[in-house]
Amino acid sequence: MVSFVTIQNKLTMNLTTDQKRYLEEWMSFLRIPSVSADPTQKEAVRQAADWVKNALDKVGCNHTEIIPTAGHPIVYGEHLIDSNLPTVLVYGHYDVQPPDPVELWESPPFEPVIKTTHLHPEGAVFARGACDDKGQMFMHIKAFEIMRNEGSLECNIKFMIEGEEEVGSNHLEDFVKNNKEKLACDVILISDTGMISREQPSISTGLRGLSYMEVTVTGPNRDLHSGLYGGAVANPINVLCVMIAQLHDKNKRITVPGFYDQVEELSLNERKVMAEAPFRLEEFKKSIGIQEVTGEEGYSNEERRTIRPTLDVNGIWGGYTGEGAKTVIPSKAHAKISMRLVPNQDWNEISDLFRKHFQSLAPKGVTVSVQTHHGGYAYVTPTNNIAYQAAHQAYFETFGIAPIPSRGGGSIPIVPMFENELGVKSILMGFGLDSDAIHSPNEHFGLFNFFKGIETIPRFYSHYCELQKKTN
Ligand code: BES
Ligand code: MN
Ligand code: MN
């Protein structure tokens, strides 16, 4: 018997003995605080890598290894049965976002519990990484276990699970470039995105690119008394706010010159197809507690958050932010600014355009420095290939409803890199929901979604292998 620590103590789903074990294993994985951004968690990140390697060993990979990098390690595993058969490379990440702000979690972020929500009446596991990406990645390990036990796997499989996705995959690019032979495959399979709903399953066909910048405005050589100097000296925070305010025009378009030059515009027909996907604006607003949505003029809510580029301040600081009041003109002000990019925008070029423009906005009396953190290209999955068709068929069988293609707004920079370096396309079989609160407090992943994923993935393999045979 398995006992669960649950807040509502509610598990309204009947699980087989194996399913209970999957759930226990997944929950033990979630207890490891593998926060890649936090240097104090380096050991925990390493422990999570060991955990993944061990899980791959247990399900029968015939070779596994932990590959150190200058950052966090990569876990690699493979099960090669016949070089004449197709090879699927599974990519995922075992690192997670920082849990902050921890006080907003209803239960501790690394003590997984099962609770029900209105979208997850069967229960969902609440923990950092439950969905992004420990839960979704683990579905692939369990799907592999099932296929091995059934003897139904008719292709070669490779796993590459990294520990630096949430901090920009800095060391993965070199690894991929230097290991093309090792990573050679016919298709890459990833569950690190979402789907619309269980009533309308979807397959992600797009990711946005990213350009992540940090800016610093420097004024006087030290913090000053705001009474003695205020009024005569440029205040870096005031200046930074004015500069940021100039980055959008009144139609919420980005003012960086050249920003839209390469943007791929969708045809009216493509936009029409997109608009047919079910979307409830009232529910969207309610779920995040806002009265009104806003964004670039001329585009729908769904277009704004998937096929259009954006610019957002992620954080802004400087001066005095402690308890009470301190009268001060700060010497420096900082902000982290990210831009989500769409196909054809080159993130290096956009970073340069941003730098030039931002510097040109600096008034007299301050200096401005602009630093690029990391970036990546957008990606679009074509739907006219056998891998997409295999995924489509798989979802159709397990959900009983045909999935629709859906462009997503998030970024996985390694995906376009795979295409460039390995010449291989990725299929994004995401099972999370937007409401699963990834990167937020109370992240969770539904038990229905988790087990549906484990059921759907083996069907992808069988259709993919079958379609491959037919085309050969
Ligand atoms: N899994 C997400 C990306 C994602 C989520 C794509 C949902 C589509 C739908 C990934 O872990 C992530 O968070 N990526 C970062 C980018 C990275 C460079 C830090 C992002 O999108 O902010
Ligand atoms: Mn992810
Ligand atoms: Mn993430």
Side-chain angles (χ1 to χ4, degrees), residues 132 165-166 439:
D132 183 13
E165 198 280 337
E166 299 292 9
H439 294 206

Side-chain angles (χ1 to χ4, degrees), residues 181-374:
E181 193 96 336
K182 183 181 192 119
L183 303 174
C185 59
D186 297 279
V187 66
I188 297 166
L189 188 59
I190 303 173
S191 293
D192 193 22
T193 56
M195 60 173 194
I196 296 173
S197 67
R198 70 172 74 171
E199 292 79 30
Q200 182 52 75
S202 59
I203 301 172
S204 310
T205 50
L207 295 165
R208 284 194 285 191
L210 185 71
S211 166
Y212 203 107
M213 316 295 292
E214 183 164 330
V215 300
T216 300
V217 176
T218 305
N221 61 5
R222 60 189 161 89
D223 289 5
L224 303 173
H225 189 292
S226 64
L228 294 180
Y229 292 90
V233 174
N235 176 326
I237 299 182
N238 295 16
V239 168
L240 178 58
C241 291
V242 173
M243 291 173 76
I244 288 171
Q246 292 175 70
L247 295 173
H248 289 95
D249 68 14
K250 64 176 194 319
N251 295 324
K252 298 263 166 20
R253 279 180 65 93
I254 295 149
T255 55
V256 176
F259 185 83
Y260 291 96
D261 285 1
Q262 312 300 325
V263 166
E264 175 202 81
E265 296 284 342
L266 264 62
S267 68
L268 280 178
N269 193 46
E270 285 170 300
R271 292 177 68 184
K272 197 174 137 253
V273 172
M274 243 188 103
E276 282 162 10
F279 175 70
R280 296 197 198 94
L281 187 61
E282 285 317 308
E283 223 163 80
F284 176 86
K285 291 194 282 191
K286 202 172 143 222
S287 73
I288 50 173
I290 58 168
Q291 261 75 54
E292 232 7 282
V293 293
T294 176
E296 187 184 359
E297 191 104 338
Y299 293 91
S300 73
N301 191 74
E302 291 312 276
E303 289 171 341
R304 287 168 180 169
R305 61 187 199 109
T306 58
I307 60 160
R308 296 301 296 167
T310 59
L311 183 153
D312 277 293
V313 180
N314 296 254
I316 179 165
W317 71 103
Y320 184 69
T321 56
E323 283 289 306
K326 179 189 179 194
T327 49
V328 64
I329 293 177
S331 165
K332 287 178 190 294
H334 312 263
K336 290 184 193 281
I337 299 177
S338 69
M339 291 165 278
R340 294 281 169 180
L341 309 176
V342 298
N344 298 341
Q345 282 183 299
D346 178 327
W347 74 269
N348 281 304
E349 205 173 298
I350 293 291
S351 302
D352 285 345
L353 292 175
F354 175 87
R355 176 180 302 105
K356 283 198 196 94
H357 180 61
F358 201 73
Q359 260 157 354
S360 79
L361 296 176
K364 289 204 176 81
V366 297
T367 55
V368 170
S369 70
V370 179
Q371 178 203 346
T372 304
H373 272 283
H374 56 73

Side-chain angles (χ1 to χ4, degrees), residues 34-37 45 69 71-74 91-98 131-134 160-173 190-193 207-208 210 340 374-375 410-416 418 428 438-439:
S34 50
V35 180
S36 51
V45 177
T69 72
H72 300 300
I74 298 163
Y91 163 81
H93 61 97
Y94 65 81
D95 65 321
V96 302
Q97 283 277 323
C131 179
D132 183 13
D133 181 40
K134 284 176 168 172
M160 183 176 68
I161 314 298
E162 71 154 317
E164 295 192 306
E165 198 280 337
E166 299 292 9
V167 288
S169 302
N170 285 339
H171 302 97
L172 194 61
E173 181 161 358
I190 303 173
S191 293
D192 193 22
T193 56
L207 295 165
R208 284 194 285 191
L210 185 71
R340 294 281 169 180
H374 56 73
S411 308
I412 311 177
I414 205 67
V415 170
F418 283 147
L428 304 166
I438 64 171
H439 294 206

